[in-house]
Amino acid sequence: MTTNNSPAPARLSIEVLRPLRTLDPDGPQEDLAWLDEAIGDARVVAIGENAHYNRESYRLRHRLMRYLVERHGFGAYAMESGFVEGRLTDEWIRGGQGRPGNVMANGMTSLMGLWTEMRAHLEWMRQHNLAAAGPVGFYGIDLSGSNVSLLPGLDAVIAYLAHADPEFEMDPRIRETASAFAAPSAFSFSRAIAAYGQLAPEQRDALTAGLADLTARMEGRRLDYRQRTTADAYERALRSLHLTVAIDAIARAMVRGDHASVLFDRDAAIADTVEWILHREERIVLAAHNGHIQRWPAGLPGTPPATTTGMHLADRIGEDYLVIGITNGSGQTLNTGADFYAGKLFTDLEPPRPGSLDALMAASGDGPFATDLRRLPPADTEAVRAISQQRLGTLYCDVSPLDAYDVVVHLPHVTAAEPDDTALANSPHEVQKAFSHRKAAMPPASAGPT
């Protein structure tokens, strides 16, 4: 509500809003017809999120992905989760054995798979594949080991070399050093970085040198290894190793306080993985945070802006890359405070800051809706051009929406996703403990849109 002394907030004209009648993935799809024109011939459709673990974001992505698969033949879902671990999820959705709780807990990283909304999405992909309706694959695109542990990628390489080069003996000190700061889950990130910092400098240097030697061996023997195994097995092992090297570089940067390099290195590695997927999949849905997929530099408060995954992909594949950003209004969002590690996973959202992209979208419509920023009339284009900030979780960052996104979807009310008991039962003890603290302190659920 405005007073006589305060101007009405800027808003988009009703003609450019595409209302979403539901977020239910099983609901009718007629209200998504705007996607047909929006995506064109794009090979990568990136769907963002304002923050991780929101119920509405999971459901929106599920719904949009189903439409893109069923109407446009997209064949892969590439998500902000560990690349190495994602192989387990891919095998399961293609009809492999195993229990979904184990897949969700161990086939996805950074707590991404621990939610009932994600379970519904994975089960749909499995059913789609078992019905022979056209294969849909799952790929993790991110660093493995919840972005800090070298062991998943390193062990994948060791297992591959046992077949490709059984006479080769890797220096055991590489894995021993990696084990000294291994993290069982995302809740261990701070402790793992601290443990890495406590290693003697010569240990850290030896680890980096050992990984460089291992990379040189893998790349130098490419033809031999591919002949002894398969091209796919070799390429997966090499990608796993490159991501492991990236984790080591990020750990080194963290210890010396170089947070800018952390952002640069991680997003470049994610972009490399997406490009790797494009060599085997014709069209993919990419699911990651707005801060990764946007075609605009991203930065945390106090750090210089860094090149994003979206900027890399736009540079590499041009118009084949389409970006759908997500804005939120009220509700709950991921807690970025230190008490996150004690189980306070979510915090309340304040109303969007006036002048932000979220405020513009919130003022433009009451329910969920989409708008194509490339097809706005002049007055609406100027309203968007005047925006210079967006909200990511509870933080505000600089942005030029017309450069960063092609389409924006607004979710007026977001809530915490629902933890999946079977996934938690297959998770490390520290994850179970944190979620038990959350459950004990959780307020009554508030109603949101369906």
Side-chain angles (χ1 to χ4, degrees):
M1 179 179 297
T2 60
T3 68
N4 293 333
N5 297 324
S6 60
R11 61 183 301 157
L12 300 175
S13 59
I14 193 170
E15 292 81 10
V16 304
L17 309 186
R18 301 291 178 261
L20 303 181
R21 297 178 185 145
T22 181
L23 297 180
D24 183 357
D26 293 322
Q29 298 182 334
E30 288 76 12
D31 60 325
L32 297 180
W34 55 269
L35 265 175
D36 300 337
E37 182 180 21
I39 65 170
D41 297 323
R43 293 189 63 199
V44 178
V45 173
I47 307 172
E49 60 183 355
N50 189 284
H52 296 320
Y53 322 134
N54 281 127
R55 175 176 185 263
E56 291 72 20
S57 297
Y58 275 116
R59 286 163 63 81
L60 174 67
R61 284 173 170 173
H62 183 176
R63 187 170 187 241
L64 296 183
M65 190 260 192
R66 285 174 68 161
Y67 187 89
L68 293 172
V69 168
E70 295 172 348
R71 302 291 183 94
H72 294 277
F74 279 67
Y77 190 72
M79 188 175 180
E80 187 183 338
S81 178
F83 172 79
V84 174
E85 294 87 346
R87 187 69 183 273
L88 173 63
T89 303
D90 184 62
E91 290 173 348
W92 187 79
I93 68 165
R94 292 181 189 269
Q97 300 298 311
R99 296 181 180 275
N102 179 61
V103 172
M104 295 161 66
N106 298 297
M108 303 178 73
T109 63
S110 300
L111 314 180
M112 294 294 186
L114 303 185
W115 315 94
T116 59
E117 294 80 7
M118 193 68 232
R119 181 190 185 109
H121 195 168
L122 295 178
E123 288 178 338
W124 178 83
M125 284 191 272
R126 179 178 171 92
Q127 292 164 5
H128 180 87
N129 286 329
L130 291 176
V136 175
F138 178 93
Y139 294 88
I141 59 170
D142 209 348
L143 310 178
S144 295
S146 292
N147 303 328
V148 66
S149 177
L150 277 64
L151 290 186
L154 194 56
D155 287 345
V157 174
I158 292 171
Y160 173 77
L161 289 173
H163 296 281
D165 198 351
E167 296 182 357
F168 170 67
E169 294 184 6
M170 188 182 76
D171 185 344
R173 291 174 296 180
I174 295 176
R175 195 180 189 285
E176 289 172 3
T177 303
S179 299
F181 63 99
S185 82
F187 290 103
S188 303
F189 185 87
S190 297
R191 295 197 304 273
I193 293 299
Y196 178 84
Q198 292 171 358
L199 294 172
E202 55 269 23
Q203 284 182 283
R204 299 199 295 265
D205 292 345
L207 173 62
T208 300
L211 291 172
D213 289 344
L214 193 57
T215 302
R217 185 178 186 89
M218 284 281 295
E219 293 177 340
R221 290 162 174 77
R222 173 178 176 271
L223 295 181
D224 291 339
Y225 285 177
R226 285 163 61 101
Q227 289 176 353
R228 295 174 189 174
T229 57
T230 66
D232 181 68
Y234 170 81
E235 296 297 340
R236 284 184 178 276
L238 185 60
R239 180 94 292 268
S240 300
L241 181 54
H242 284 162
L243 291 168
T244 303
V245 170
I247 298 171
D248 177 65
I250 285 172
R252 294 179 73 92
M254 289 285 289
V255 166
R256 65 176 182 265
D258 182 3
H259 297 290
S261 290
V262 173
L263 300 176
F264 277 101
D265 294 351
R266 182 182 172 200
D267 273 63
I270 292 174
D272 290 343
T273 303
V274 174
E275 190 172 26
W276 182 92
I277 297 169
L278 280 174
H279 287 303
R280 58 199 65 222
E281 301 284 355
E282 184 60 31
R283 305 185 86 179
I284 68 175
V285 177
L286 172 60
H289 197 285
N290 285 352
H292 293 302
I293 66 168
Q294 64 187 30
R295 290 189 303 262
W296 187 258
L300 301 173
T303 65
T307 305
T308 62
T309 295
M311 295 171 68
H312 283 290
L313 292 176
D315 177 67
R316 299 178 194 184
I317 63 175
E319 293 183 357
D320 279 341
Y321 182 60
L322 180 126
V323 189
I324 302 176
I326 309 297
T327 57
N328 295 342
S330 62
Q332 287 191 312
T333 192
L334 180 66
N335 174 29
T336 56
D339 50 354
F340 169 86
Y341 296 97
K344 186 181 179 182
L345 304 186
F346 298 93
T347 189
D348 291 335
L349 275 173
E350 299 290 336
R353 179 183 294 174
S356 67
L357 179 61
D358 302 76
L360 173 66
M361 299 297 283
S364 299
D366 295 329
F369 67 88
T371 187
D372 191 329
L373 300 184
R374 302 165 302 171
R375 294 175 171 84
L376 298 176
D380 291 317
T381 298
E382 288 309 308
V384 177
R385 196 186 309 278
I387 299 298
S388 61
Q389 282 197 323
Q390 66 176 337
R391 183 169 64 182
L392 300 180
T394 59
L395 306 175
Y396 285 85
C397 304
D398 293 340
V399 72
S400 170
L402 294 173
D403 295 303
Y405 305 115
D406 299 298
V407 175
V408 174
V409 174
H410 182 66
L411 301 174
H413 187 79
V414 291
T415 56
E418 178 66 27
D420 184 272
D421 289 339
T422 61
L424 288 176
N426 285 273
S427 299
H429 175 71
E430 63 182 12
V431 175
Q432 296 181 28
K433 183 178 179 181
F435 273 75
S436 67
H437 289 166
R438 171 186 178 270
K439 187 174 182 180
M442 190 168 54
S446 57
T450 60

